Every structure is written in structure tokens, then in C-alpha cells.
Amino acid sequence: MPRRANGKKFLANTNTKEVHDLDNEQTNCQIDEIIAAGHDVYFDTLIAAQLSGYDNGHWCIGDSTR
Ligand SMILES: [Zn+2]
């Protein structure tokens, strides 16, 4: 079941500097852990997250840029 926060599709982890696609959430993304730790920030688009310095999540997006 996809989930979005405030209608935003992408959740980025300020600790690992990775961004996750909430519509393609995988167990390995550990979204609950990110939110619980308070490391979550949100973006409308993937490019916006990348421009803010976040790398693609391996499990939900792929094509890591680093
Ligand atoms: Zn992910």
C-alpha cells in the first residue's frame, strides 16, 4: 500500500543522504526507521531531491548517481 506524506512522493534521509520513492517502498528502505529517527524530509520530484544533494535509493529507485 503506497503511502505519501503531505502528498509528496519522495522521502529523503538526511542521515544517509538517500532519497526514496514512497510509491515503490521496499522493506529494505526502512522508511519507518527513517521517520522514527527524525531524518525524513520530503520532495515532490526526484530531480528536486537530487538537486538538494540526495542520491537514489538502491531498492526503490536504483541507478545510484554515486
Ligand atoms: Zn528506498
Side-chain angles (χ1 to χ4, degrees):
M1 182 73 175
R3 58 172 161 181
R4 294 184 183 209
N6 304 318
K8 298 195 185 300
K9 179 173 162 69
F10 295 95
L11 180 156
N13 184 335
T14 59
N15 188 46
T16 64
K17 290 294 184 181
E18 282 188 338
V19 59
H20 300 272
D21 182 347
L22 292 174
D23 286 351
N24 190 34
E25 179 185 349
Q26 307 296 315
T27 303
N28 285 320
C29 293
Q30 300 188 295
I31 299 297
D32 287 327
E33 286 80 355
I34 296 169
I35 294 170
H39 293 148
D40 54 315
V41 293
Y42 300 89
F43 294 93
D44 288 313
T45 64
L46 179 58
I47 192 71
Q50 291 170 336
L51 287 172
S52 294
Y54 292 98
D55 191 21
N56 296 1
H58 177 70
W59 303 101
C60 55
I61 302 174
D63 286 332
S64 170
T65 56
R66 68 182 176 207

